[in-house]
Amino acid sequence: MSRFCTQCGTVNEADARFCDACGKPLKPRATAPEAAVPASAAIALDTSPIPALSSRRLPWPWLGGGAALLLLLGAAAWYWLQPQEPSKEVFMTAINQHLAQHDADYRRRVCLRNLPYGRQSLVISPFDQASNAWLGELVKAGLYAAPQKISNGFFGEQLEYQQTDLARSAVVDGRLCVGTGIKAVAVTQWSPPQPMGELLVSQVRYDFQPRQPVAWLTPAIRRELFGEAGKGEARIMLLRKDGRWQVADDGERQALEAAVFMQALAKEGIERVGEQASTGLKAWFGRLFGPAEPSADDIWQALLAFSPLLASQQQGYAKQDCAVLESQPDTFSCRIRIDGGSERVLLSKNGDGVWQLRLP
């Protein structure tokens, strides 16, 4: 509010310190005394408790997150401890993990060897239509320069194809490779898993294509490599170990193939014949005047027809002896050696004159 000068009575602004008319200092306005706060109220204000709700609730979000993390870890551990059931997805994952770790071992399956690609130039007769047609595809892909006509003495005029740097970078051990390895693209078939001790074993067939294919992989080159299907086919042995399916290594595969084969024989009732066959001089006369016994190759082909799993054991296979059975003159009991063990099998000829395993 306005202030009055006591000297001349002039009205001044509320915050003026001197009179605007006469210049006399104006007395400072007296401030109203603050209301006294009762002691009891002051004490109440000073001693009011600080809410502790926030401090008590602070750990709960952390505890809740920790519990969720423990549940998640527990669920993951439970999942990984559960034995994997056979399926296309499980087998595909196991196969591709193995193939990715062994690219160099499988690279030859995506390499061409229909020409000597290790040479920097190829000289072809103009009349060799098949070779010229194929090299024409490679010229289109940028792997060879267009052919130049050269004189080749007695052979007359020839066509020379010079290899480009693009082709040279893709040649491995004289083969033209279209990828670093292979990858499985489909599991097409697998045998029912067979228990072998604590393991389960299955033979799996799968389709594959090149891993990291080159940019110049044309349809014509793909057909030359894989045929009209445009993809390769392979088989591989998988085993379930510690609950997880994985590709068997070479040692495991050889041991398991032999074991699976013998198990298949036992399942069909073919067991060791022991001493059922005639022996000694009588057996010798029987082999001399009786029907000709199966050769080592006859026995091997009969074994393969019964179980293709035996194919990898050929180096360890040998025929030891054969003897005709007294009660069955058309049947031979043959001892064979396979994978370090000696076994006996029964064989007889079918209607087409082919030796085959005979079930007791």
PDB file of all heavy atoms in Angstrom, residues 88-124:
ATOM      1  N   LYS A  88      12.948 -85.020 -37.350  1.00  0.00           N
ATOM      2  CA  LYS A  88      13.676 -84.402 -38.452  1.00  0.00           C
ATOM      3  C   LYS A  88      14.438 -83.168 -37.989  1.00  0.00           C
ATOM      4  O   LYS A  88      15.584 -82.942 -38.388  1.00  0.00           O
ATOM      5  CB  LYS A  88      12.698 -84.009 -39.566  1.00  0.00           C
ATOM      6  CG  LYS A  88      12.112 -85.190 -40.332  1.00  0.00           C
ATOM      7  CD  LYS A  88      11.236 -84.710 -41.470  1.00  0.00           C
ATOM      8  CE  LYS A  88      10.693 -85.891 -42.282  1.00  0.00           C
ATOM      9  NZ  LYS A  88       9.854 -85.440 -43.408  1.00  0.00           N
ATOM     10  N   GLU A  89      13.791 -82.362 -37.133  1.00  0.00           N
ATOM     11  CA  GLU A  89      14.426 -81.131 -36.677  1.00  0.00           C
ATOM     12  C   GLU A  89      15.660 -81.426 -35.837  1.00  0.00           C
ATOM     13  O   GLU A  89      16.720 -80.803 -36.002  1.00  0.00           O
ATOM     14  CB  GLU A  89      13.429 -80.286 -35.881  1.00  0.00           C
ATOM     15  CG  GLU A  89      12.276 -79.713 -36.695  1.00  0.00           C
ATOM     16  CD  GLU A  89      11.225 -80.768 -37.047  1.00  0.00           C
ATOM     17  OE1 GLU A  89      11.228 -81.847 -36.409  1.00  0.00           O
ATOM     18  OE2 GLU A  89      10.419 -80.517 -37.963  1.00  0.00           O
ATOM     19  N   VAL A  90      15.536 -82.386 -34.923  1.00  0.00           N
ATOM     20  CA  VAL A  90      16.665 -82.741 -34.056  1.00  0.00           C
ATOM     21  C   VAL A  90      17.820 -83.298 -34.886  1.00  0.00           C
ATOM     22  O   VAL A  90      18.992 -82.933 -34.703  1.00  0.00           O
ATOM     23  CB  VAL A  90      16.223 -83.756 -32.983  1.00  0.00           C
ATOM     24  CG1 VAL A  90      17.430 -84.352 -32.261  1.00  0.00           C
ATOM     25  CG2 VAL A  90      15.300 -83.086 -31.974  1.00  0.00           C
ATOM     26  N   PHE A  91      17.512 -84.185 -35.830  1.00  0.00           N
ATOM     27  CA  PHE A  91      18.553 -84.777 -36.668  1.00  0.00           C
ATOM     28  C   PHE A  91      19.205 -83.723 -37.561  1.00  0.00           C
ATOM     29  O   PHE A  91      20.429 -83.730 -37.761  1.00  0.00           O
ATOM     30  CB  PHE A  91      17.979 -85.904 -37.515  1.00  0.00           C
ATOM     31  CG  PHE A  91      17.656 -87.154 -36.731  1.00  0.00           C
ATOM     32  CD1 PHE A  91      16.766 -88.097 -37.214  1.00  0.00           C
ATOM     33  CD2 PHE A  91      18.237 -87.382 -35.501  1.00  0.00           C
ATOM     34  CE1 PHE A  91      16.489 -89.250 -36.505  1.00  0.00           C
ATOM     35  CE2 PHE A  91      17.964 -88.527 -34.771  1.00  0.00           C
ATOM     36  CZ  PHE A  91      17.078 -89.465 -35.275  1.00  0.00           C
ATOM     37  N   MET A  92      18.399 -82.813 -38.115  1.00  0.00           N
ATOM     38  CA  MET A  92      18.952 -81.762 -38.973  1.00  0.00           C
ATOM     39  C   MET A  92      19.945 -80.906 -38.196  1.00  0.00           C
ATOM     40  O   MET A  92      21.028 -80.567 -38.683  1.00  0.00           O
ATOM     41  CB  MET A  92      17.811 -80.888 -39.502  1.00  0.00           C
ATOM     42  CG  MET A  92      17.133 -81.434 -40.736  1.00  0.00           C
ATOM     43  SD  MET A  92      17.962 -80.945 -42.267  1.00  0.00           S
ATOM     44  CE  MET A  92      17.566 -79.194 -42.296  1.00  0.00           C
ATOM     45  N   THR A  93      19.594 -80.539 -36.974  1.00  0.00           N
ATOM     46  CA  THR A  93      20.484 -79.718 -36.153  1.00  0.00           C
ATOM     47  C   THR A  93      21.785 -80.446 -35.875  1.00  0.00           C
ATOM     48  O   THR A  93      22.878 -79.881 -36.019  1.00  0.00           O
ATOM     49  CB  THR A  93      19.798 -79.348 -34.827  1.00  0.00           C
ATOM     50  OG1 THR A  93      18.599 -78.608 -35.107  1.00  0.00           O
ATOM     51  CG2 THR A  93      20.715 -78.511 -33.964  1.00  0.00           C
ATOM     52  N   ALA A  94      21.703 -81.713 -35.489  1.00  0.00           N
ATOM     53  CA  ALA A  94      22.906 -82.487 -35.180  1.00  0.00           C
ATOM     54  C   ALA A  94      23.794 -82.648 -36.419  1.00  0.00           C
ATOM     55  O   ALA A  94      25.019 -82.510 -36.344  1.00  0.00           O
ATOM     56  CB  ALA A  94      22.520 -83.848 -34.618  1.00  0.00           C
ATOM     57  N   ILE A  95      23.166 -82.935 -37.561  1.00  0.00           N
ATOM     58  CA  ILE A  95      23.943 -83.140 -38.789  1.00  0.00           C
ATOM     59  C   ILE A  95      24.637 -81.854 -39.211  1.00  0.00           C
ATOM     60  O   ILE A  95      25.832 -81.850 -39.551  1.00  0.00           O
ATOM     61  CB  ILE A  95      23.036 -83.668 -39.911  1.00  0.00           C
ATOM     62  CG1 ILE A  95      22.554 -85.083 -39.586  1.00  0.00           C
ATOM     63  CG2 ILE A  95      23.767 -83.664 -41.250  1.00  0.00           C
ATOM     64  CD1 ILE A  95      21.495 -85.609 -40.522  1.00  0.00           C
ATOM     65  N   ASN A  96      23.928 -80.738 -39.196  1.00  0.00           N
ATOM     66  CA  ASN A  96      24.522 -79.484 -39.644  1.00  0.00           C
ATOM     67  C   ASN A  96      25.604 -78.989 -38.694  1.00  0.00           C
ATOM     68  O   ASN A  96      26.580 -78.352 -39.129  1.00  0.00           O
ATOM     69  CB  ASN A  96      23.440 -78.415 -39.836  1.00  0.00           C
ATOM     70  CG  ASN A  96      22.776 -78.515 -41.203  1.00  0.00           C
ATOM     71  OD1 ASN A  96      23.435 -78.810 -42.191  1.00  0.00           O
ATOM     72  ND2 ASN A  96      21.485 -78.286 -41.258  1.00  0.00           N
ATOM     73  N   GLN A  97      25.466 -79.250 -37.395  1.00  0.00           N
ATOM     74  CA  GLN A  97      26.552 -78.907 -36.482  1.00  0.00           C
ATOM     75  C   GLN A  97      27.810 -79.695 -36.838  1.00  0.00           C
ATOM     76  O   GLN A  97      28.917 -79.151 -36.840  1.00  0.00           O
ATOM     77  CB  GLN A  97      26.124 -79.198 -35.047  1.00  0.00           C
ATOM     78  CG  GLN A  97      25.128 -78.200 -34.472  1.00  0.00           C
ATOM     79  CD  GLN A  97      24.676 -78.560 -33.075  1.00  0.00           C
ATOM     80  OE1 GLN A  97      24.931 -79.657 -32.577  1.00  0.00           O
ATOM     81  NE2 GLN A  97      23.995 -77.635 -32.419  1.00  0.00           N
ATOM     82  N   HIS A  98      27.623 -80.975 -37.149  1.00  0.00           N
ATOM     83  CA  HIS A  98      28.770 -81.812 -37.522  1.00  0.00           C
ATOM     84  C   HIS A  98      29.372 -81.347 -38.848  1.00  0.00           C
ATOM     85  O   HIS A  98      30.605 -81.226 -38.974  1.00  0.00           O
ATOM     86  CB  HIS A  98      28.306 -83.266 -37.629  1.00  0.00           C
ATOM     87  CG  HIS A  98      29.324 -84.176 -38.230  1.00  0.00           C
ATOM     88  ND1 HIS A  98      30.407 -84.666 -37.533  1.00  0.00           N
ATOM     89  CD2 HIS A  98      29.436 -84.696 -39.492  1.00  0.00           C
ATOM     90  CE1 HIS A  98      31.129 -85.432 -38.314  1.00  0.00           C
ATOM     91  NE2 HIS A  98      30.572 -85.483 -39.505  1.00  0.00           N
ATOM     92  N   LEU A  99      28.533 -81.077 -39.838  1.00  0.00           N
ATOM     93  CA  LEU A  99      29.036 -80.676 -41.149  1.00  0.00           C
ATOM     94  C   LEU A  99      29.774 -79.347 -41.084  1.00  0.00           C
ATOM     95  O   LEU A  99      30.794 -79.155 -41.764  1.00  0.00           O
ATOM     96  CB  LEU A  99      27.873 -80.582 -42.144  1.00  0.00           C
ATOM     97  CG  LEU A  99      27.136 -81.893 -42.460  1.00  0.00           C
ATOM     98  CD1 LEU A  99      25.989 -81.628 -43.430  1.00  0.00           C
ATOM     99  CD2 LEU A  99      28.086 -82.942 -43.022  1.00  0.00           C
ATOM    100  N   ALA A 100      29.269 -78.419 -40.268  1.00  0.00           N
ATOM    101  CA  ALA A 100      29.924 -77.117 -40.150  1.00  0.00           C
ATOM    102  C   ALA A 100      31.304 -77.240 -39.521  1.00  0.00           C
ATOM    103  O   ALA A 100      32.218 -76.469 -39.839  1.00  0.00           O
ATOM    104  CB  ALA A 100      29.045 -76.175 -39.323  1.00  0.00           C
ATOM    105  N   GLN A 101      31.479 -78.219 -38.630  1.00  0.00           N
ATOM    106  CA  GLN A 101      32.764 -78.412 -37.962  1.00  0.00           C
ATOM    107  C   GLN A 101      33.749 -79.210 -38.814  1.00  0.00           C
ATOM    108  O   GLN A 101      34.932 -79.260 -38.495  1.00  0.00           O
ATOM    109  CB  GLN A 101      32.548 -79.127 -36.628  1.00  0.00           C
ATOM    110  CG  GLN A 101      31.764 -78.299 -35.610  1.00  0.00           C
ATOM    111  CD  GLN A 101      31.339 -79.108 -34.403  1.00  0.00           C
ATOM    112  OE1 GLN A 101      31.606 -80.308 -34.320  1.00  0.00           O
ATOM    113  NE2 GLN A 101      30.672 -78.458 -33.462  1.00  0.00           N
ATOM    114  N   HIS A 102      33.269 -79.845 -39.880  1.00  0.00           N
ATOM    115  CA  HIS A 102      34.132 -80.683 -40.725  1.00  0.00           C
ATOM    116  C   HIS A 102      33.960 -80.313 -42.194  1.00  0.00           C
ATOM    117  O   HIS A 102      33.814 -81.186 -43.058  1.00  0.00           O
ATOM    118  CB  HIS A 102      33.818 -82.169 -40.505  1.00  0.00           C
ATOM    119  CG  HIS A 102      34.009 -82.616 -39.088  1.00  0.00           C
ATOM    120  ND1 HIS A 102      33.049 -82.437 -38.112  1.00  0.00           N
ATOM    121  CD2 HIS A 102      35.056 -83.246 -38.473  1.00  0.00           C
ATOM    122  CE1 HIS A 102      33.490 -82.938 -36.965  1.00  0.00           C
ATOM    123  NE2 HIS A 102      34.696 -83.419 -37.156  1.00  0.00           N
ATOM    124  N   ASP A 103      33.963 -79.033 -42.482  1.00  0.00           N
ATOM    125  CA  ASP A 103      33.776 -78.577 -43.863  1.00  0.00           C
ATOM    126  C   ASP A 103      34.757 -79.226 -44.825  1.00  0.00           C
ATOM    127  O   ASP A 103      34.374 -79.690 -45.907  1.00  0.00           O
ATOM    128  CB  ASP A 103      33.915 -77.052 -43.933  1.00  0.00           C
ATOM    129  CG  ASP A 103      32.566 -76.355 -43.923  1.00  0.00           C
ATOM    130  OD1 ASP A 103      31.548 -77.057 -44.036  1.00  0.00           O
ATOM    131  OD2 ASP A 103      32.521 -75.129 -43.784  1.00  0.00           O
ATOM    132  N   ALA A 104      36.033 -79.254 -44.444  1.00  0.00           N
ATOM    133  CA  ALA A 104      37.054 -79.772 -45.359  1.00  0.00           C
ATOM    134  C   ALA A 104      36.828 -81.246 -45.688  1.00  0.00           C
ATOM    135  O   ALA A 104      37.128 -81.695 -46.797  1.00  0.00           O
ATOM    136  CB  ALA A 104      38.443 -79.575 -44.751  1.00  0.00           C
ATOM    137  N   ASP A 105      36.279 -82.006 -44.731  1.00  0.00           N
ATOM    138  CA  ASP A 105      36.059 -83.443 -44.962  1.00  0.00           C
ATOM    139  C   ASP A 105      34.953 -83.707 -45.981  1.00  0.00           C
ATOM    140  O   ASP A 105      34.933 -84.772 -46.609  1.00  0.00           O
ATOM    141  CB  ASP A 105      35.705 -84.138 -43.640  1.00  0.00           C
ATOM    142  CG  ASP A 105      36.831 -84.044 -42.620  1.00  0.00           C
ATOM    143  OD1 ASP A 105      37.984 -83.870 -43.046  1.00  0.00           O
ATOM    144  OD2 ASP A 105      36.560 -84.126 -41.412  1.00  0.00           O
ATOM    145  N   TYR A 106      34.034 -82.765 -46.131  1.00  0.00           N
ATOM    146  CA  TYR A 106      32.885 -82.979 -47.012  1.00  0.00           C
ATOM    147  C   TYR A 106      32.943 -82.117 -48.273  1.00  0.00           C
ATOM    148  O   TYR A 106      32.027 -82.151 -49.088  1.00  0.00           O
ATOM    149  CB  TYR A 106      31.594 -82.681 -46.263  1.00  0.00           C
ATOM    150  CG  TYR A 106      31.300 -83.672 -45.160  1.00  0.00           C
ATOM    151  CD1 TYR A 106      31.742 -83.443 -43.864  1.00  0.00           C
ATOM    152  CD2 TYR A 106      30.599 -84.842 -45.411  1.00  0.00           C
ATOM    153  CE1 TYR A 106      31.487 -84.351 -42.844  1.00  0.00           C
ATOM    154  CE2 TYR A 106      30.341 -85.765 -44.407  1.00  0.00           C
ATOM    155  CZ  TYR A 106      30.788 -85.502 -43.123  1.00  0.00           C
ATOM    156  OH  TYR A 106      30.537 -86.417 -42.128  1.00  0.00           O
ATOM    157  N   ARG A 107      34.008 -81.350 -48.433  1.00  0.00           N
ATOM    158  CA  ARG A 107      34.066 -80.417 -49.557  1.00  0.00           C
ATOM    159  C   ARG A 107      34.042 -81.123 -50.899  1.00  0.00           C
ATOM    160  O   ARG A 107      33.484 -80.618 -51.878  1.00  0.00           O
ATOM    161  CB  ARG A 107      35.322 -79.555 -49.446  1.00  0.00           C
ATOM    162  CG  ARG A 107      35.347 -78.411 -50.455  1.00  0.00           C
ATOM    163  CD  ARG A 107      36.443 -77.424 -50.172  1.00  0.00           C
ATOM    164  NE  ARG A 107      36.306 -76.239 -51.000  1.00  0.00           N
ATOM    165  CZ  ARG A 107      37.077 -75.165 -50.896  1.00  0.00           C
ATOM    166  NH1 ARG A 107      38.033 -75.136 -49.987  1.00  0.00           N
ATOM    167  NH2 ARG A 107      36.891 -74.128 -51.684  1.00  0.00           N
ATOM    168  N   ARG A 108      34.629 -82.317 -50.988  1.00  0.00           N
ATOM    169  CA  ARG A 108      34.693 -83.006 -52.280  1.00  0.00           C
ATOM    170  C   ARG A 108      33.314 -83.318 -52.832  1.00  0.00           C
ATOM    171  O   ARG A 108      33.163 -83.543 -54.035  1.00  0.00           O
ATOM    172  CB  ARG A 108      35.498 -84.302 -52.130  1.00  0.00           C
ATOM    173  CG  ARG A 108      36.992 -84.078 -52.023  1.00  0.00           C
ATOM    174  CD  ARG A 108      37.753 -85.353 -52.228  1.00  0.00           C
ATOM    175  NE  ARG A 108      39.185 -85.116 -52.325  1.00  0.00           N
ATOM    176  CZ  ARG A 108      40.066 -86.026 -52.706  1.00  0.00           C
ATOM    177  NH1 ARG A 108      39.639 -87.236 -53.041  1.00  0.00           N
ATOM    178  NH2 ARG A 108      41.345 -85.754 -52.759  1.00  0.00           N
ATOM    179  N   ARG A 109      32.313 -83.363 -51.957  1.00  0.00           N
ATOM    180  CA  ARG A 109      30.973 -83.670 -52.439  1.00  0.00           C
ATOM    181  C   ARG A 109      30.357 -82.523 -53.228  1.00  0.00           C
ATOM    182  O   ARG A 109      29.308 -82.694 -53.842  1.00  0.00           O
ATOM    183  CB  ARG A 109      30.074 -84.038 -51.259  1.00  0.00           C
ATOM    184  CG  ARG A 109      30.563 -85.263 -50.512  1.00  0.00           C
ATOM    185  CD  ARG A 109      29.493 -85.851 -49.648  1.00  0.00           C
ATOM    186  NE  ARG A 109      29.937 -87.054 -48.968  1.00  0.00           N
ATOM    187  CZ  ARG A 109      29.153 -87.852 -48.277  1.00  0.00           C
ATOM    188  NH1 ARG A 109      27.860 -87.586 -48.168  1.00  0.00           N
ATOM    189  NH2 ARG A 109      29.633 -88.927 -47.679  1.00  0.00           N
ATOM    190  N   VAL A 110      30.985 -81.350 -53.191  1.00  0.00           N
ATOM    191  CA  VAL A 110      30.494 -80.216 -53.974  1.00  0.00           C
ATOM    192  C   VAL A 110      31.585 -79.748 -54.933  1.00  0.00           C
ATOM    193  O   VAL A 110      31.696 -78.571 -55.238  1.00  0.00           O
ATOM    194  CB  VAL A 110      30.012 -79.062 -53.067  1.00  0.00           C
ATOM    195  CG1 VAL A 110      28.751 -79.453 -52.343  1.00  0.00           C
ATOM    196  CG2 VAL A 110      31.096 -78.654 -52.071  1.00  0.00           C
ATOM    197  N   CYS A 111      32.391 -80.699 -55.395  1.00  0.00           N
ATOM    198  CA  CYS A 111      33.467 -80.372 -56.329  1.00  0.00           C
ATOM    199  C   CYS A 111      33.309 -81.199 -57.602  1.00  0.00           C
ATOM    200  O   CYS A 111      33.018 -82.399 -57.543  1.00  0.00           O
ATOM    201  CB  CYS A 111      34.836 -80.657 -55.701  1.00  0.00           C
ATOM    202  SG  CYS A 111      35.221 -79.614 -54.261  1.00  0.00           S
ATOM    203  N   LEU A 112      33.527 -80.565 -58.737  1.00  0.00           N
ATOM    204  CA  LEU A 112      33.445 -81.219 -60.039  1.00  0.00           C
ATOM    205  C   LEU A 112      34.800 -81.820 -60.411  1.00  0.00           C
ATOM    206  O   LEU A 112      35.848 -81.210 -60.176  1.00  0.00           O
ATOM    207  CB  LEU A 112      33.034 -80.209 -61.105  1.00  0.00           C
ATOM    208  CG  LEU A 112      31.587 -79.695 -61.017  1.00  0.00           C
ATOM    209  CD1 LEU A 112      31.470 -78.371 -61.731  1.00  0.00           C
ATOM    210  CD2 LEU A 112      30.632 -80.718 -61.594  1.00  0.00           C
ATOM    211  N   ARG A 113      34.781 -83.008 -61.022  1.00  0.00           N
ATOM    212  CA  ARG A 113      36.005 -83.651 -61.479  1.00  0.00           C
ATOM    213  C   ARG A 113      35.840 -84.222 -62.883  1.00  0.00           C
ATOM    214  O   ARG A 113      36.532 -85.170 -63.263  1.00  0.00           O
ATOM    215  CB  ARG A 113      36.413 -84.745 -60.502  1.00  0.00           C
ATOM    216  CG  ARG A 113      35.329 -85.764 -60.215  1.00  0.00           C
ATOM    217  CD  ARG A 113      35.831 -86.809 -59.243  1.00  0.00           C
ATOM    218  NE  ARG A 113      34.784 -87.788 -58.936  1.00  0.00           N
ATOM    219  CZ  ARG A 113      34.965 -88.835 -58.142  1.00  0.00           C
ATOM    220  NH1 ARG A 113      36.138 -89.032 -57.583  1.00  0.00           N
ATOM    221  NH2 ARG A 113      33.973 -89.668 -57.897  1.00  0.00           N
ATOM    222  N   ASN A 114      34.908 -83.664 -63.646  1.00  0.00           N
ATOM    223  CA  ASN A 114      34.670 -84.171 -64.998  1.00  0.00           C
ATOM    224  C   ASN A 114      35.713 -83.686 -66.008  1.00  0.00           C
ATOM    225  O   ASN A 114      35.719 -84.123 -67.152  1.00  0.00           O
ATOM    226  CB  ASN A 114      33.269 -83.792 -65.487  1.00  0.00           C
ATOM    227  CG  ASN A 114      33.015 -82.300 -65.385  1.00  0.00           C
ATOM    228  OD1 ASN A 114      33.761 -81.569 -64.733  1.00  0.00           O
ATOM    229  ND2 ASN A 114      31.954 -81.827 -66.013  1.00  0.00           N
ATOM    230  N   LEU A 115      36.598 -82.762 -65.581  1.00  0.00           N
ATOM    231  CA  LEU A 115      37.698 -82.294 -66.416  1.00  0.00           C
ATOM    232  C   LEU A 115      38.928 -82.101 -65.528  1.00  0.00           C
ATOM    233  O   LEU A 115      38.785 -81.920 -64.310  1.00  0.00           O
ATOM    234  CB  LEU A 115      37.338 -80.965 -67.102  1.00  0.00           C
ATOM    235  CG  LEU A 115      36.348 -81.009 -68.276  1.00  0.00           C
ATOM    236  CD1 LEU A 115      36.062 -79.602 -68.762  1.00  0.00           C
ATOM    237  CD2 LEU A 115      36.880 -81.864 -69.415  1.00  0.00           C
ATOM    238  N   PRO A 116      40.118 -82.071 -66.095  1.00  0.00           N
ATOM    239  CA  PRO A 116      41.331 -81.812 -65.294  1.00  0.00           C
ATOM    240  C   PRO A 116      41.463 -80.329 -64.966  1.00  0.00           C
ATOM    241  O   PRO A 116      42.226 -79.587 -65.608  1.00  0.00           O
ATOM    242  CB  PRO A 116      42.461 -82.309 -66.204  1.00  0.00           C
ATOM    243  CG  PRO A 116      41.927 -82.175 -67.588  1.00  0.00           C
ATOM    244  CD  PRO A 116      40.455 -82.458 -67.496  1.00  0.00           C
ATOM    245  N   TYR A 117      40.728 -79.902 -63.963  1.00  0.00           N
ATOM    246  CA  TYR A 117      40.681 -78.477 -63.644  1.00  0.00           C
ATOM    247  C   TYR A 117      41.984 -77.958 -63.042  1.00  0.00           C
ATOM    248  O   TYR A 117      42.155 -76.746 -62.875  1.00  0.00           O
ATOM    249  CB  TYR A 117      39.526 -78.199 -62.685  1.00  0.00           C
ATOM    250  CG  TYR A 117      38.170 -78.454 -63.302  1.00  0.00           C
ATOM    251  CD1 TYR A 117      37.438 -79.590 -62.967  1.00  0.00           C
ATOM    252  CD2 TYR A 117      37.626 -77.576 -64.224  1.00  0.00           C
ATOM    253  CE1 TYR A 117      36.197 -79.841 -63.527  1.00  0.00           C
ATOM    254  CE2 TYR A 117      36.387 -77.821 -64.800  1.00  0.00           C
ATOM    255  CZ  TYR A 117      35.677 -78.954 -64.444  1.00  0.00           C
ATOM    256  OH  TYR A 117      34.452 -79.196 -65.004  1.00  0.00           O
ATOM    257  N   GLY A 118      42.905 -78.854 -62.720  1.00  0.00           N
ATOM    258  CA  GLY A 118      44.184 -78.396 -62.199  1.00  0.00           C
ATOM    259  C   GLY A 118      45.059 -77.745 -63.255  1.00  0.00           C
ATOM    260  O   GLY A 118      46.032 -77.074 -62.919  1.00  0.00           O
ATOM    261  N   ARG A 119      44.725 -77.926 -64.523  1.00  0.00           N
ATOM    262  CA  ARG A 119      45.487 -77.305 -65.607  1.00  0.00           C
ATOM    263  C   ARG A 119      44.988 -75.891 -65.864  1.00  0.00           C
ATOM    264  O   ARG A 119      43.793 -75.621 -65.815  1.00  0.00           O
ATOM    265  CB  ARG A 119      45.364 -78.124 -66.887  1.00  0.00           C
ATOM    266  CG  ARG A 119      45.838 -79.573 -66.741  1.00  0.00           C
ATOM    267  CD  ARG A 119      45.606 -80.324 -68.040  1.00  0.00           C
ATOM    268  NE  ARG A 119      45.949 -81.736 -67.912  1.00  0.00           N
ATOM    269  CZ  ARG A 119      45.742 -82.635 -68.865  1.00  0.00           C
ATOM    270  NH1 ARG A 119      45.202 -82.245 -70.038  1.00  0.00           N
ATOM    271  NH2 ARG A 119      46.070 -83.893 -68.672  1.00  0.00           N
ATOM    272  N   GLN A 120      45.925 -75.018 -66.191  1.00  0.00           N
ATOM    273  CA  GLN A 120      45.543 -73.632 -66.450  1.00  0.00           C
ATOM    274  C   GLN A 120      44.899 -73.457 -67.825  1.00  0.00           C
ATOM    275  O   GLN A 120      44.232 -72.452 -68.070  1.00  0.00           O
ATOM    276  CB  GLN A 120      46.766 -72.719 -66.323  1.00  0.00           C
ATOM    277  CG  GLN A 120      47.316 -72.642 -64.897  1.00  0.00           C
ATOM    278  CD  GLN A 120      48.397 -71.598 -64.760  1.00  0.00           C
ATOM    279  OE1 GLN A 120      48.693 -70.856 -65.697  1.00  0.00           O
ATOM    280  NE2 GLN A 120      48.984 -71.526 -63.582  1.00  0.00           N
ATOM    281  N   SER A 121      45.096 -74.418 -68.703  1.00  0.00           N
ATOM    282  CA  SER A 121      44.443 -74.334 -70.012  1.00  0.00           C
ATOM    283  C   SER A 121      44.042 -75.741 -70.442  1.00  0.00           C
ATOM    284  O   SER A 121      44.671 -76.732 -70.054  1.00  0.00           O
ATOM    285  CB  SER A 121      45.371 -73.711 -71.058  1.00  0.00           C
ATOM    286  OG  SER A 121      46.483 -74.550 -71.301  1.00  0.00           O
ATOM    287  N   LEU A 122      42.998 -75.822 -71.229  1.00  0.00           N
ATOM    288  CA  LEU A 122      42.498 -77.094 -71.740  1.00  0.00           C
ATOM    289  C   LEU A 122      42.420 -76.999 -73.257  1.00  0.00           C
ATOM    290  O   LEU A 122      41.883 -76.032 -73.808  1.00  0.00           O
ATOM    291  CB  LEU A 122      41.118 -77.396 -71.160  1.00  0.00           C
ATOM    292  CG  LEU A 122      41.044 -77.619 -69.644  1.00  0.00           C
ATOM    293  CD1 LEU A 122      39.594 -77.763 -69.198  1.00  0.00           C
ATOM    294  CD2 LEU A 122      41.840 -78.847 -69.246  1.00  0.00           C
ATOM    295  N   VAL A 123      42.952 -78.014 -73.927  1.00  0.00           N
ATOM    296  CA  VAL A 123      42.914 -78.064 -75.384  1.00  0.00           C
ATOM    297  C   VAL A 123      41.918 -79.144 -75.783  1.00  0.00           C
ATOM    298  O   VAL A 123      42.073 -80.317 -75.421  1.00  0.00           O
ATOM    299  CB  VAL A 123      44.310 -78.363 -75.962  1.00  0.00           C
ATOM    300  CG1 VAL A 123      44.233 -78.478 -77.492  1.00  0.00           C
ATOM    301  CG2 VAL A 123      45.303 -77.284 -75.554  1.00  0.00           C
ATOM    302  N   ILE A 124      40.899 -78.743 -76.529  1.00  0.00           N
ATOM    303  CA  ILE A 124      39.788 -79.622 -76.875  1.00  0.00           C
ATOM    304  C   ILE A 124      39.626 -79.664 -78.389  1.00  0.00           C
ATOM    305  O   ILE A 124      39.770 -78.645 -79.084  1.00  0.00           O
ATOM    306  CB  ILE A 124      38.476 -79.143 -76.226  1.00  0.00           C
ATOM    307  CG1 ILE A 124      38.654 -78.961 -74.719  1.00  0.00           C
ATOM    308  CG2 ILE A 124      37.333 -80.100 -76.514  1.00  0.00           C
ATOM    309  CD1 ILE A 124      38.953 -80.233 -73.959  1.00  0.00           C
TER     310      ILE A 124
END
